[in-house]
Amino acid sequence: MISQIRLQLRYMVIEEMSTTDTFPVVLLCEIAQVSRAAYYKWLKRTVSVREEENLSLLEDIHLLYDQVNGTYGYRRITMTVNRRRRQHGLPAYNEKRIYRLMRIHEIRSVIRQKKTVQKVVPAACGREPDEPRIPCVPAGREMVHRRHRVQIR
């Protein structure tokens, strides 16, 4: 369902229930709170050019999404789709359009865990990495430790 028709879901339910369960359309429209005229107008509609374009764009998005194992979000998908379109001399799609289609169809990028790097402290001043962090101060200098001046010899 890509269409911008607000009550499309209701119309689809009415259509399904009237054909399979043989409920009267008048009753179903009354329950769904839509007019019969609007339902029949929806039933006789033709697919718009924009709708067809959205469907082909969605196929491209799904294809690219599967190629990259779901790691691309809407920004990178937009960049890649538009780059391919420009190579063929076609106009680019708006980022918001691709974002909307991906949101409607629940296409989301996979958020990977950040890689943590454990830093190994070199043995400076003769201490091992596991020992507590004591600052190394060259001899002949003064340092303040917990409000006390300490002379280093």
Side-chain angles (χ1 to χ4, degrees), residues 83-110:
R83 188 178 304 124
R84 289 179 185 171
R85 288 182 60 81
R86 277 191 221 102
Q87 288 173 352
H88 297 291
L90 299 170
Y93 286 118
N94 190 328
E95 191 174 90
K96 292 181 221 168
R97 183 176 185 180
I98 292 178
Y99 175 73
R100 179 177 49 84
L101 290 173
M102 288 179 67
R103 189 184 66 229
I104 288 171
H105 290 275
E106 297 180 355
I107 302 171
R108 295 193 177 108
S109 65
V110 176

Side-chain angles (χ1 to χ4, degrees), residues 58-73 77 84 102 106-110:
L58 197 59
E59 287 175 16
D60 291 343
I61 290 171
H62 274 295
L63 181 68
L64 179 61
Y65 185 79
D66 292 338
Q67 283 177 353
V68 295
N69 297 323
T71 56
Y72 282 9
I77 285 182
R84 289 179 185 171
M102 288 179 67
E106 297 180 355
I107 302 171
R108 295 193 177 108
S109 65
V110 176

Side-chain angles (χ1 to χ4, degrees), residues 30-66:
E30 191 176 311
I31 291 170
Q33 297 178 345
V34 295
S35 67
R36 273 186 311 148
Y39 167 70
Y40 283 116
K41 183 178 178 183
W42 173 83
L43 201 55
K44 296 187 187 307
R45 80 195 183 292
T46 58
V47 179
S48 68
V49 174
R50 180 122 178 137
E51 185 83 18
E52 289 175 0
E53 201 174 283
N54 281 342
L55 287 172
S56 73
L57 173 58
L58 197 59
E59 287 175 16
D60 291 343
I61 290 171
H62 274 295
L63 181 68
L64 179 61
Y65 185 79
D66 292 338

Side-chain angles (χ1 to χ4, degrees), residues 1-152:
M1 180 176 81
I2 304 173
S3 175
Q4 303 236 345
I5 300 172
R6 280 186 326 132
L7 305 174
Q8 174 136 357
L9 208 54
R10 292 182 191 181
Y11 296 142
M12 290 169 67
V13 169
I14 291 171
E15 181 182 27
E16 185 178 329
M17 291 184 77
S18 66
T19 55
T20 57
D21 299 335
T22 63
F23 285 110
V25 173
V26 177
L27 179 65
L28 293 173
C29 287
E30 191 176 311
I31 291 170
Q33 297 178 345
V34 295
S35 67
R36 273 186 311 148
Y39 167 70
Y40 283 116
K41 183 178 178 183
W42 173 83
L43 201 55
K44 296 187 187 307
R45 80 195 183 292
T46 58
V47 179
S48 68
V49 174
R50 180 122 178 137
E51 185 83 18
E52 289 175 0
E53 201 174 283
N54 281 342
L55 287 172
S56 73
L57 173 58
L58 197 59
E59 287 175 16
D60 291 343
I61 290 171
H62 274 295
L63 181 68
L64 179 61
Y65 185 79
D66 292 338
Q67 283 177 353
V68 295
N69 297 323
T71 56
Y72 282 9
Y74 77 95
R75 288 185 180 110
R76 288 175 81 179
I77 285 182
T78 303
M79 280 185 353
T80 309
V81 167
N82 286 338
R83 188 178 304 124
R84 289 179 185 171
R85 288 182 60 81
R86 277 191 221 102
Q87 288 173 352
H88 297 291
L90 299 170
Y93 286 118
N94 190 328
E95 191 174 90
K96 292 181 221 168
R97 183 176 185 180
I98 292 178
Y99 175 73
R100 179 177 49 84
L101 290 173
M102 288 179 67
R103 189 184 66 229
I104 288 171
H105 290 275
E106 297 180 355
I107 302 171
R108 295 193 177 108
S109 65
V110 176
I111 309 227
R112 294 172 286 186
Q113 292 272 332
K114 297 271 186 202
K115 293 181 182 177
T116 57
V117 179
Q118 291 190 357
K119 293 183 180 179
V120 177
V121 179
C125 299
R127 91 170 166 249
E128 292 299 317
D130 297 338
E131 291 180 14
R133 306 278 294 167
I134 302 170
C136 294
V137 180
R141 307 246 13 242
E142 225 177 53
M143 71 178 238
V144 177
H145 180 67
R146 294 188 186 163
R147 299 185 187 156
H148 300 296
R149 288 185 183 265
V150 180
Q151 182 71 30
I152 307 296

